[in-house]
Amino acid sequence: MSNVIILLFCFIAGVSGLNTIQVCQNKNCCRRFTGKAADLVQTLRQITTGYEIESTGCLSQCDNGPNICIDGTVENGIDSAAVAAAVLEINKDTTIHPTFLAACQVMEKAERATSLAEKERNLSSVISALMKLEGESKKCLAQALVMRAHLALDYRDASLEQARDDAHSASRLDPQHATVWRVLADVEMKLGNSSQAIEALHKWAKYQPKFVTKVNQELQRIS
């Protein structure tokens, strides 16, 4: 389950009054379904407020995954923003902001794109649209910004300076988003700014303590 889909569920949870969303973290399923990040639950907690997101073990429906459990009901095959939206609208009578859903779908398209130009075009369109919204769009906008910032780490032609600006903007919108700090640390290192990279690494460890060993290794390498 990609971070984009997770983001959609967190937004829905925050506005619909649901009680609990549990996300399968069984290691076999995490390997089976590409796009399932190891920091799934942490990401969920970072992008929702006033709502409990829990990890859970195997839900015994692995062949039908990715799986989540909402208020005791297991939902299968949550592999796109459209599916996530349909599950909540049909089963939980939840109305989803159309711009938010469209943004999630375009971010998914950017994830699947194979060229830098297509990825940048999709993400830039999302960022432009979300900047026109207020309130609930902040965390979604932060996700789009950090995705665009990450392009500089994957593509030689991407601008590191733009990536740094995007990551800093994302950190102001959603300072507890651990991926923001991880990406910012890598970008600062590529720019030769070791002190800023160290600061970002400490923030990454703060908001995602499960990776403290990796952070310490990076700090030792920088030193």
Side-chain angles (χ1 to χ4, degrees):
M1 189 185 303
S2 74
N3 283 348
V4 174
I5 304 170
I6 296 163
L7 181 64
L8 178 65
F9 269 109
C10 290
F11 173 78
I12 293 167
V15 300
S16 65
L18 298 176
N19 295 316
T20 304
I21 293 179
Q22 294 178 309
V23 183
C24 177
Q25 289 287 276
N26 179 272
K27 62 181 180 181
N28 293 326
C29 284
C30 287
R31 285 197 297 263
R32 177 185 296 189
F33 301 109
T34 58
K36 272 204 160 193
D39 60 353
L40 183 60
V41 174
Q42 184 66 20
T43 300
L44 282 165
R45 288 172 177 159
Q46 290 164 356
I47 57 179
T48 190
T49 58
Y51 195 81
E52 186 173 3
I53 305 297
E54 299 177 349
S55 62
T56 185
C58 183
L59 294 171
S60 301
Q61 299 185 31
C62 301
D63 290 340
N64 300 319
N67 301 311
I68 63 170
C69 185
I70 305 174
D71 293 346
T73 300
V74 176
E75 303 290 351
N76 310 122
I78 311 302
D79 59 1
S80 72
V83 172
V87 165
L88 273 297
E89 288 184 331
I90 294 172
N91 298 330
K92 300 298 178 181
D93 193 25
T94 300
T95 301
I96 300 167
H97 195 301
T99 302
F100 189 90
L101 176 57
C104 289
Q105 291 173 322
V106 176
M107 282 191 278
E108 287 179 339
K109 185 177 180 181
E111 286 180 332
R112 297 192 299 269
T114 57
S115 71
L116 172 61
E118 186 177 1
K119 287 178 180 291
E120 285 183 329
R121 183 170 60 253
N122 287 324
L123 292 173
S124 295
S125 69
V126 168
I127 291 167
S128 178
L130 291 176
M131 282 182 172
K132 299 174 184 178
L133 299 179
E134 296 180 359
E136 70 269 16
S137 69
K138 285 185 177 181
K139 295 182 187 296
C140 187
L141 177 56
Q143 178 66 24
L145 285 165
V146 78
M147 287 177 67
R148 190 168 69 176
H150 197 276
L151 295 179
L153 304 177
D154 295 333
Y155 293 88
R156 189 172 300 174
D157 294 335
S159 168
L160 286 169
E161 288 75 15
Q162 177 65 55
R164 180 174 56 189
D165 291 344
D166 283 346
H168 276 297
S169 295
S171 72
R172 289 190 292 271
L173 290 164
D174 189 7
Q176 295 185 349
H177 193 327
T179 305
V180 170
W181 301 109
R182 176 177 60 80
V183 171
L184 183 57
D186 289 343
V187 170
E188 294 288 13
M189 278 300 299
K190 282 182 173 290
L191 288 169
N193 302 324
S194 58
S195 60
Q196 290 90 334
I198 290 171
E199 181 180 354
L201 284 169
H202 283 299
K203 292 287 185 65
W204 178 24
K206 176 182 178 180
Y207 294 119
Q208 204 163 34
K210 65 188 293 184
F211 286 109
V212 67
T213 299
K214 181 174 178 58
V215 169
N216 287 335
Q217 291 173 345
E218 288 297 306
L219 289 171
Q220 290 177 0
R221 183 174 64 84
I222 294 173
S223 303

